[in-house]
Amino acid sequence: MKRWFGLFLFFLLLPAGARAALLEMAPSDVYGQAMQIEKEVELLKKHFAITASKEWVAITASLKPRHAWQNNYFILLKLNVLRNKNNLPRITPDTMEPVLVLQPGLVYEQTQRVLTEITIFKSRLGITAQVSPARSYKGKRPIDVFNKLHQISMQMDVLNDEEISPSYVFAEVMRIYEDIVILLRWLNIPDQTYPPAKRVEVTSKESLDAAFALLHEIQRLQREVGIERTDFSVFQKKDDVLPFDVINIVGMALAELQTVKAVIDLTHAITRPAEYREIKTPADVHQLLRWITRKLQLIRELR
């Protein structure tokens, strides 16, 4: 007992710099863990006798680790769908304080959460098969990590045999709504906006356009405070738009909003976990996206 108490005192009395030393992670390290997630998803597909796959084309863009972090979040979200289909209760995907520059180490952390949740799911189903050990990679960039996680996210739809439903998308958009309410309150801006009329027949293309309109408003705020903006035009589709495309841009908007919160000292305003809402439709998602955009247009300057 004395020995353990002595060790506790030793670490407690270490200089602050010594306690704060962190192991640096590179995109290549994160990529190696993303490959492990891919192996686990393929193992689960094999367990459920699923041979289908989903076409995937790698994108070329100057994306950052925060966008890969968001992809990991969506994989956790889709694991919730898988849990629910197998009579297990949903979990709450993690969230964290806003940061201006999200380092690869935080994306690495997120991959470990995904792998842990897959391990738990396998144990509940009695799946004992294991994937091969991780290998090391070199020269990988944030876009490589994003693409791999994006591909895995699409394969999760195959594993679940369904796209993410509008109810899940609505819950994610509500997280942005709540963030904007906090932002307006922080800036002392009165909000008398009201929801636009709901359009009953809404296409995925229209919802994607609404998500981009919201993203552009967030980028307007980024420009005002000197935050480097990301070009997401590669995601702007004209044809064959799927719900997957919509929630992807919703996620990018949420990731970009965190940088604004970080710059204006809203670092302790952690975005709340998503609250799943039953029986939401594309029309509900479309209406909420347009309403949030109206709210953001109230902000003429960040002070």
Side-chain angles (χ1 to χ4, degrees), residues 60-103:
T60 301
S62 298
L63 299 186
K64 298 174 175 60
R66 64 175 175 265
H67 307 126
W69 191 97
Q70 191 64 39
N71 265 351
N72 266 315
Y73 175 91
F74 283 143
I75 293 171
L76 283 169
L77 192 67
K78 293 175 182 186
L79 279 169
N80 259 344
V81 177
L82 185 62
R83 286 176 61 89
N84 189 247
K85 290 172 75 78
N86 286 274
N87 301 314
L88 289 169
R90 297 180 183 91
I91 58 172
T92 300
D94 64 301
T95 183
M96 69 176 188
E97 287 185 334
V99 294
L100 179 58
V101 180
L102 194 149
Q103 298 295 337

Side-chain angles (χ1 to χ4, degrees), residues 140-297:
K140 295 300 182 181
R141 302 163 298 155
I143 185 60
D144 298 315
V145 176
F146 178 92
N147 275 324
K148 177 53 63 178
L149 292 169
H150 195 67
Q151 181 183 14
I152 295 167
S153 183
M154 294 178 75
Q155 294 310 312
M156 285 296 302
D157 291 339
V158 176
L159 178 59
N160 290 329
D161 193 28
E162 66 179 71
E163 293 266 358
I164 279 288
S165 73
S167 293
Y168 279 100
V169 181
F170 186 89
E172 293 304 315
V173 180
M174 275 300 300
R175 299 177 73 212
I176 302 178
Y177 173 92
E178 291 166 356
D179 263 5
I180 299 306
V181 169
I182 292 171
L183 185 59
L184 292 173
R185 189 180 304 131
W186 179 258
L187 296 172
N188 294 313
I189 296 175
D191 179 11
Q192 296 182 338
T193 62
Y194 52 88
K198 186 185 297 187
R199 293 173 52 188
V200 178
E201 296 295 331
V202 174
T203 65
S204 293
K205 173 65 168 60
E206 290 171 318
S207 293
L208 181 63
D209 289 343
F212 263 105
L214 169 62
L215 180 58
H216 291 157
E217 285 299 316
I218 294 172
Q219 291 186 316
R220 174 179 63 83
L221 299 181
Q222 287 178 320
R223 182 175 62 247
E224 288 193 7
V225 290
I227 297 172
E228 181 185 1
R229 285 159 293 149
T230 300
D231 182 3
F232 293 103
S233 59
V234 68
F235 297 103
Q236 184 78 69
K237 298 173 65 176
K238 294 182 179 180
D239 303 305
D240 302 321
V241 178
L242 302 171
F244 180 92
D245 301 307
V246 179
I247 196 169
N248 190 47
I249 292 304
V250 167
M252 298 305 101
L254 188 55
E256 296 305 282
L257 184 58
Q258 303 313 301
T259 66
V260 175
K261 289 165 61 181
V263 164
I264 65 171
D265 297 327
L266 271 173
T267 52
H268 298 307
I270 300 176
T271 303
R272 291 178 57 186
E275 181 181 337
Y276 182 78
R277 298 157 196 265
E278 299 282 354
I279 320 177
K280 291 299 179 181
T281 67
D284 295 315
V285 174
H286 184 255
Q287 179 188 41
L288 185 56
L289 284 167
R290 291 160 58 217
W291 189 16
I292 296 171
T293 302
R294 284 186 180 180
K295 290 178 180 293
L296 275 177
Q297 289 168 347

Side-chain angles (χ1 to χ4, degrees), residues 111-127:
T111 61
Q112 301 313 292
R113 295 183 183 101
V114 172
L115 288 167
T116 297
E117 290 302 333
I118 292 175
T119 298
I120 292 170
F121 178 76
K122 286 168 61 179
S123 68
R124 291 303 309 273
L125 268 66
I127 302 173

